[in-house]
Amino acid sequence: MIKSTFYNLPEKKKQRVIEAIVDEFAVEDTSRVSINNIIIKADISRGSFYQYFDDKMDLVEVLIKYYMKSFEEKVSEVITVSRGDVFYTYEECFTIIAELGSVERDRIVFKKLFSDFYSANTVVADYISKRCNGFDEIDRLLSDLSRKNLKQQDDAYFENLTYLLSIILRRSVREYFVENADYDKVKKRYLKLIDIVKSGACT
């Protein structure tokens, strides 16, 4: 579990630790990530490291929260501009994620994370199955989406709709980052699938 001492660090030092973690995941397989390398790169002591983190699963959480923060900020902007249009927001989500992974280092990390989400015996899969209780950031974003113009506006219908859209998004992200598919082809198919769902869900 990430400890409060990490969150209470001065912002500059906290960012240095985060950057060291991202760099390490970019150059090593997730199973071979070195705590010692992170300590050296972040210029902290081993004792300090264990005042911040318990284990490597905490490092995965740092990675996910690091990228999730940027994702949440950009999606919030889209929601504001579109006045909560659920389909426009999901259309933009793929582009946002692709842009977050546009730098080579981040693209490598994304590929490893998305590859390991559903792989057995990886630190990423262990974090998802044993420690991750969902993503509050995503729940907050979904609560800001409008149900206007949907055929049904009850909670169950909306949850099923966003579930379908999220599956399409995850599949497209995996195609792009893990399977190295062409960006334009993936995006074109992604938008087509979103449009198919939209045609059946809207009045």
Side-chain angles (χ1 to χ4, degrees), residues 106-169:
D106 298 318
R107 183 178 177 84
I108 291 169
V109 174
F110 276 30
K111 181 171 184 174
K112 291 175 181 178
L113 287 175
F114 293 127
S115 294
D116 286 358
F117 273 160
Y118 306 107
S119 302
N121 302 319
T122 67
V123 67
V124 178
D126 283 347
Y127 168 74
I128 295 298
S129 65
K130 296 176 182 178
R131 196 168 295 173
C132 181
N133 295 315
F135 300 100
D136 293 338
E137 300 89 346
I138 299 298
D139 292 337
R140 283 195 295 271
L141 292 172
L142 291 177
S143 69
D144 290 334
L145 294 174
S146 172
R147 305 182 188 194
K148 185 179 179 181
N149 298 328
L150 296 180
K151 287 182 177 178
Q152 299 178 41
Q153 298 181 0
D154 60 277
D155 289 345
Y157 186 83
F158 186 73
E159 287 173 8
N160 287 330
L161 173 64
T162 54
Y163 177 73
L164 285 173
L165 294 172
S166 295
I167 289 175
I168 295 169
L169 176 60

Side-chain angles (χ1 to χ4, degrees), residues 26-43:
V27 299
E28 288 291 350
D29 291 339
T30 57
S31 61
R32 294 166 53 193
V33 165
S34 167
I35 290 174
N36 194 52
N37 287 347
I38 292 170
I39 287 169
I40 294 170
K41 176 88 179 197
D43 191 24

Side-chain angles (χ1 to χ4, degrees), residues 82-93 142 145-148 150 158 161-162 165 194 202:
S82 69
R83 297 181 180 179
D85 185 298
V86 61
F87 296 102
Y88 180 78
T89 299
Y90 268 91
E91 286 171 2
E92 291 299 303
C93 278
L142 291 177
L145 294 174
S146 172
R147 305 182 188 194
K148 185 179 179 181
L150 296 180
F158 186 73
L161 173 64
T162 54
L165 294 172
I194 296 292
C202 290

Side-chain angles (χ1 to χ4, degrees), residues 37-72:
N37 287 347
I38 292 170
I39 287 169
I40 294 170
K41 176 88 179 197
D43 191 24
I44 58 175
S45 68
R46 181 168 290 274
S48 292
F49 179 91
Y50 286 106
Q51 286 179 348
Y52 308 151
F53 312 114
D54 283 329
D55 51 34
K56 290 183 180 180
M57 277 193 277
D58 286 347
L59 305 182
V60 174
E61 184 172 351
V62 168
L63 276 183
I64 291 174
K65 288 187 174 181
Y66 168 70
Y67 290 113
M68 190 66 73
K69 181 180 178 182
S70 297
F71 176 74
E72 181 184 10

